[in-house]
Amino acid sequence: MTDLWQDAMDHAVSAARGAGQVVREALLEDRMVMVKSSSVDLVTQTDQKVEQLIIQSVKEKFPTHRFIGEESVAAGEPCVLSDEPTWIIDPIDGTTNFVHRFPFVAVSIGFSVNKQVEFGVVYSCLEDKMFTARRGRGSFCNGDPLQVSDQKAIKQSIIATEFGSDRDPEVVDKIFSSLRNILCIPVHGIRSAGTAAINMCLVASGCVEAYYEIGMHVWDLAAASLIVSEAGGVLMDVEGGPFDLMSRRVIAANNRTIAERISGEIQAYAPARDDAAAPGADP
Ligand SMILES: O=P(O)(O)OC[C@@]1(O)O[C@H](CO)[C@@H](O)[C@@H]1O
Ligand SMILES: [Mg+2]
Ligand SMILES: [Mg+2]
């Protein structure tokens, strides 16, 4: 049977590796920092340049494919996940880390058809770790198979989360309330890589038992969601229902028991969905 998407996945790996080289070179220069939704939601010309390089390279090979790119959406492109083959791109996940030279910076490229992720590529470009997954064919890091942690007890676990870029005191109170509840289970520790994609690859690698967050976007999650599930992990909404790529809410865990326990401790809220502005979106 013809393997429809292997050529596209091979291109994604090559594009992510090339983008990582651009990121590493940019780290040697001064970076002009701009802001988006708030004074702590950063973007640089490197984010924009890398996204355009990836999108242009894909358009040359797959001219009918669609795109959801973080910086294209920021510039006004619609954020619509259709049934069409769609490349879901975060050119730099961890821009704040990139600006501060904190060494966790990822290029994330997900690919969906019929709203289902067919492959995911996350390149941690300062670690030179290429995380990949193809639906139904497992997850890998630099070609080595990945498997989530076999830890069953949350009290023997490390949990990853992030603080996001929303500084609204009411939102911050919810974030810290959830954090306190989970820390006081107690768990062994809480960790933040500063990038959702790498946090989720740490779940897939068995380095942390779970990651949860409210507020990130589809481009942070798409590729890594498949890397987690193909490593034997589970994905869930923060209130325990099914994971929804466009909801800006996720629990990614090594097993359902730990995911459900985390869900029970989170003070949930619902940010505006990524597809909220899409034509025909539910109000
Ligand atoms: O804007 P970026 O760098 O692409 O992504 C922002 C981000 O790093 O910030 C959040 C942590 O607060 C993560 O969920 C997300 O991955
Ligand atoms: Mg991101
Ligand atoms: Mg980004």
Side-chain angles (χ1 to χ4, degrees):
M1 188 176 93
T2 311
D3 183 344
L4 272 179
W5 306 123
Q6 192 55 46
D7 187 26
M9 181 168 179
D10 293 345
H11 180 78
V13 170
S14 170
R17 198 177 299 282
Q21 180 61 25
V22 173
V23 169
R24 287 191 296 268
E25 287 166 1
L27 273 173
L28 303 174
E29 300 152 12
D30 289 337
R31 276 137 292 138
M32 187 175 83
V33 181
M34 299 167 279
V35 297
K36 293 191 292 189
S37 63
S38 77
S39 63
V40 297
D41 182 11
L42 310 184
V43 63
T44 71
Q45 288 173 329
T46 308
D47 296 74
Q48 296 161 342
K49 174 183 175 184
V50 165
E51 182 166 311
Q52 283 313 308
L53 284 172
I54 295 170
I55 289 176
Q56 289 314 316
S57 74
V58 171
K59 281 183 174 174
E60 287 167 15
K61 283 178 74 89
F62 309 101
T64 62
H65 289 187
R66 307 283 178 85
F67 299 92
I68 295 176
E70 176 179 8
E71 308 314 337
S72 302
V73 171
E77 289 293 318
C79 185
V80 176
L81 187 61
S82 69
D83 290 342
E84 297 300 312
T86 305
W87 296 67
I88 305 170
I89 301 165
D90 189 342
I92 298 182
D93 191 37
T95 298
T96 302
N97 292 350
F98 170 68
V99 168
H100 289 270
R101 292 190 174 87
F102 187 78
F104 296 104
V105 179
V107 178
S108 180
I109 302 175
F111 179 74
S112 80
V113 181
N114 298 325
K115 301 187 181 69
Q116 187 168 54
V117 181
E118 288 293 338
F119 65 72
V121 172
V122 173
Y123 182 44
S124 178
C125 47
L126 306 188
E127 298 178 286
D128 192 23
K129 287 184 177 179
M130 184 67 75
F131 295 91
T132 59
R134 187 74 203 279
R135 191 163 61 86
R137 302 189 191 182
S139 291
F140 301 87
C141 178
N142 291 347
D144 297 328
L146 294 178
Q147 184 63 41
V148 295
S149 162
D150 60 6
Q151 180 56 254
K152 299 284 185 288
I154 194 164
K155 292 183 177 180
Q156 315 294 325
S157 297
I158 289 181
I159 308 299
T161 191
E162 296 287 340
F163 301 98
S165 53
D166 189 329
R167 294 295 183 265
D168 176 324
E170 284 186 22
V171 169
V172 171
D173 285 347
K174 289 186 166 80
I175 289 172
F176 277 86
S177 166
S178 304
L179 192 64
R180 185 194 61 245
N181 292 345
I182 288 165
L183 189 62
C184 297
I185 286 177
V187 296
H188 276 182
I190 301 277
R191 299 291 185 273
S192 298
T195 133
I198 290 181
N199 285 325
M200 292 174 75
C201 288
L202 289 169
V203 174
S205 306
C207 302
V208 302
E209 276 67 37
Y211 156 73
Y212 73 92
E213 187 175 352
I214 298 176
M216 72 287 129
H217 295 277
V218 57
W219 44 80
D220 296 309
L221 296 175
S225 66
L226 187 69
I227 293 168
V228 167
S229 57
E230 287 295 324
V234 298
L235 294 155
M236 182 185 292
D237 177 66
V238 294
E239 291 191 271
F243 170 58
D244 175 347
L245 259 181
M246 305 301 275
S247 68
R248 301 182 61 198
R249 309 188 333 168
V250 70
I251 299 172
N254 63 330
N255 64 58
R256 182 160 293 279
T257 305
I258 286 182
E260 287 170 348
R261 178 64 193 274
I262 290 170
S263 171
E265 302 294 348
I266 291 174
Q267 194 172 347
Y269 59 97
R273 292 174 56 88
D274 276 324
D275 54 3
D282 295 338

